[in-house]
PDB file of all heavy atoms in Angstrom:
ATOM      1  N   LYS D 159      45.184  27.134-116.993  1.00  0.00           N
ATOM      2  CA  LYS D 159      46.292  26.794-116.119  1.00  0.00           C
ATOM      3  C   LYS D 159      47.627  26.746-116.870  1.00  0.00           C
ATOM      4  O   LYS D 159      48.668  27.132-116.347  1.00  0.00           O
ATOM      5  CB  LYS D 159      46.015  25.425-115.489  1.00  0.00           C
ATOM      6  CG  LYS D 159      46.759  25.178-114.199  1.00  0.00           C
ATOM      7  CD  LYS D 159      46.455  23.769-113.711  1.00  0.00           C
ATOM      8  CE  LYS D 159      47.561  23.294-112.807  1.00  0.00           C
ATOM      9  NZ  LYS D 159      47.523  21.852-112.641  1.00  0.00           N
ATOM     10  N   SER D 160      47.545  26.292-118.130  1.00  0.00           N
ATOM     11  CA  SER D 160      48.781  26.106-118.889  1.00  0.00           C
ATOM     12  C   SER D 160      49.477  27.437-119.183  1.00  0.00           C
ATOM     13  O   SER D 160      50.668  27.477-119.487  1.00  0.00           O
ATOM     14  CB  SER D 160      48.474  25.382-120.197  1.00  0.00           C
ATOM     15  OG  SER D 160      47.437  26.069-120.871  1.00  0.00           O
ATOM     16  N   LYS D 161      48.697  28.527-119.066  1.00  0.00           N
ATOM     17  CA  LYS D 161      49.294  29.838-119.348  1.00  0.00           C
ATOM     18  C   LYS D 161      50.222  30.315-118.241  1.00  0.00           C
ATOM     19  O   LYS D 161      51.063  31.187-118.450  1.00  0.00           O
ATOM     20  CB  LYS D 161      48.184  30.875-119.555  1.00  0.00           C
ATOM     21  CG  LYS D 161      47.462  30.680-120.873  1.00  0.00           C
ATOM     22  CD  LYS D 161      46.612  31.876-121.204  1.00  0.00           C
ATOM     23  CE  LYS D 161      45.785  31.603-122.431  1.00  0.00           C
ATOM     24  NZ  LYS D 161      44.616  32.461-122.502  1.00  0.00           N
ATOM     25  N   ILE D 162      49.981  29.748-117.053  1.00  0.00           N
ATOM     26  CA  ILE D 162      50.828  30.174-115.945  1.00  0.00           C
ATOM     27  C   ILE D 162      52.214  29.571-116.139  1.00  0.00           C
ATOM     28  O   ILE D 162      52.361  28.354-116.242  1.00  0.00           O
ATOM     29  CB  ILE D 162      50.257  29.712-114.605  1.00  0.00           C
ATOM     30  CG1 ILE D 162      48.847  30.280-114.430  1.00  0.00           C
ATOM     31  CG2 ILE D 162      51.148  30.131-113.445  1.00  0.00           C
ATOM     32  CD1 ILE D 162      48.094  29.676-113.287  1.00  0.00           C
ATOM     33  N   PRO D 163      53.218  30.403-116.214  1.00  0.00           N
ATOM     34  CA  PRO D 163      54.557  29.869-116.458  1.00  0.00           C
ATOM     35  C   PRO D 163      55.090  29.138-115.240  1.00  0.00           C
ATOM     36  O   PRO D 163      54.834  29.536-114.114  1.00  0.00           O
ATOM     37  CB  PRO D 163      55.387  31.126-116.745  1.00  0.00           C
ATOM     38  CG  PRO D 163      54.645  32.231-116.078  1.00  0.00           C
ATOM     39  CD  PRO D 163      53.198  31.863-116.080  1.00  0.00           C
ATOM     40  N   SER D 164      55.740  28.042-115.492  1.00  0.00           N
ATOM     41  CA  SER D 164      56.359  27.322-114.383  1.00  0.00           C
ATOM     42  C   SER D 164      57.616  28.081-113.956  1.00  0.00           C
ATOM     43  O   SER D 164      58.034  29.043-114.604  1.00  0.00           O
ATOM     44  CB  SER D 164      56.733  25.905-114.826  1.00  0.00           C
ATOM     45  OG  SER D 164      57.752  25.996-115.799  1.00  0.00           O
ATOM     46  N   ALA D 165      58.212  27.640-112.862  1.00  0.00           N
ATOM     47  CA  ALA D 165      59.369  28.355-112.308  1.00  0.00           C
ATOM     48  C   ALA D 165      60.502  28.440-113.335  1.00  0.00           C
ATOM     49  O   ALA D 165      61.124  29.497-113.516  1.00  0.00           O
ATOM     50  CB  ALA D 165      59.854  27.635-111.061  1.00  0.00           C
ATOM     51  N   SER D 166      60.705  27.338-114.048  1.00  0.00           N
ATOM     52  CA  SER D 166      61.817  27.326-115.004  1.00  0.00           C
ATOM     53  C   SER D 166      61.540  28.258-116.180  1.00  0.00           C
ATOM     54  O   SER D 166      62.432  28.935-116.683  1.00  0.00           O
ATOM     55  CB  SER D 166      62.055  25.895-115.502  1.00  0.00           C
ATOM     56  OG  SER D 166      60.901  25.416-116.131  1.00  0.00           O
ATOM     57  N   GLN D 167      60.257  28.299-116.584  1.00  0.00           N
ATOM     58  CA  GLN D 167      59.894  29.196-117.690  1.00  0.00           C
ATOM     59  C   GLN D 167      60.130  30.648-117.289  1.00  0.00           C
ATOM     60  O   GLN D 167      60.602  31.462-118.092  1.00  0.00           O
ATOM     61  CB  GLN D 167      58.426  28.995-118.073  1.00  0.00           C
ATOM     62  CG  GLN D 167      58.230  27.780-118.978  1.00  0.00           C
ATOM     63  CD  GLN D 167      56.766  27.464-119.153  1.00  0.00           C
ATOM     64  OE1 GLN D 167      55.952  27.767-118.298  1.00  0.00           O
ATOM     65  NE2 GLN D 167      56.448  26.827-120.252  1.00  0.00           N
ATOM     66  N   ARG D 168      59.733  30.933-116.031  1.00  0.00           N
ATOM     67  CA  ARG D 168      59.908  32.319-115.575  1.00  0.00           C
ATOM     68  C   ARG D 168      61.388  32.702-115.569  1.00  0.00           C
ATOM     69  O   ARG D 168      61.791  33.799-115.927  1.00  0.00           O
ATOM     70  CB  ARG D 168      59.331  32.466-114.159  1.00  0.00           C
ATOM     71  CG  ARG D 168      58.042  33.261-114.150  1.00  0.00           C
ATOM     72  CD  ARG D 168      57.479  33.318-112.763  1.00  0.00           C
ATOM     73  NE  ARG D 168      56.900  32.036-112.377  1.00  0.00           N
ATOM     74  CZ  ARG D 168      56.699  31.671-111.125  1.00  0.00           C
ATOM     75  NH1 ARG D 168      57.038  32.468-110.128  1.00  0.00           N
ATOM     76  NH2 ARG D 168      56.171  30.506-110.839  1.00  0.00           N
ATOM     77  N   TRP D 169      62.166  31.725-115.168  1.00  0.00           N
ATOM     78  CA  TRP D 169      63.603  31.973-115.095  1.00  0.00           C
ATOM     79  C   TRP D 169      64.159  32.256-116.483  1.00  0.00           C
ATOM     80  O   TRP D 169      64.941  33.182-116.692  1.00  0.00           O
ATOM     81  CB  TRP D 169      64.280  30.755-114.473  1.00  0.00           C
ATOM     82  CG  TRP D 169      65.735  30.923-114.223  1.00  0.00           C
ATOM     83  CD1 TRP D 169      66.303  31.779-113.334  1.00  0.00           C
ATOM     84  CD2 TRP D 169      66.792  30.246-114.880  1.00  0.00           C
ATOM     85  NE1 TRP D 169      67.672  31.672-113.375  1.00  0.00           N
ATOM     86  CE2 TRP D 169      67.992  30.727-114.330  1.00  0.00           C
ATOM     87  CE3 TRP D 169      66.850  29.260-115.883  1.00  0.00           C
ATOM     88  CZ2 TRP D 169      69.237  30.261-114.734  1.00  0.00           C
ATOM     89  CZ3 TRP D 169      68.096  28.809-116.268  1.00  0.00           C
ATOM     90  CH2 TRP D 169      69.270  29.307-115.707  1.00  0.00           C
ATOM     91  N   LYS D 170      63.665  31.463-117.431  1.00  0.00           N
ATOM     92  CA  LYS D 170      64.079  31.667-118.822  1.00  0.00           C
ATOM     93  C   LYS D 170      63.687  33.056-119.307  1.00  0.00           C
ATOM     94  O   LYS D 170      64.459  33.773-119.944  1.00  0.00           O
ATOM     95  CB  LYS D 170      63.416  30.613-119.726  1.00  0.00           C
ATOM     96  CG  LYS D 170      64.300  29.405-119.981  1.00  0.00           C
ATOM     97  CD  LYS D 170      63.596  28.498-120.986  1.00  0.00           C
ATOM     98  CE  LYS D 170      64.111  27.076-120.885  1.00  0.00           C
ATOM     99  NZ  LYS D 170      63.158  26.133-121.482  1.00  0.00           N
ATOM    100  N   ALA D 171      62.408  33.388-118.954  1.00  0.00           N
ATOM    101  CA  ALA D 171      61.882  34.686-119.377  1.00  0.00           C
ATOM    102  C   ALA D 171      62.734  35.820-118.837  1.00  0.00           C
ATOM    103  O   ALA D 171      63.000  36.806-119.515  1.00  0.00           O
ATOM    104  CB  ALA D 171      60.439  34.829-118.896  1.00  0.00           C
TER     105      ALA D 171
END
Side-chain angles (χ1 to χ4, degrees):
Chain D
K159 203 183 157 197
S160 52
K161 288 193 186 158
I162 301 169
S164 66
S166 60
Q167 279 170 333
R168 252 177 286 159
W169 185 66
K170 265 185 202 160

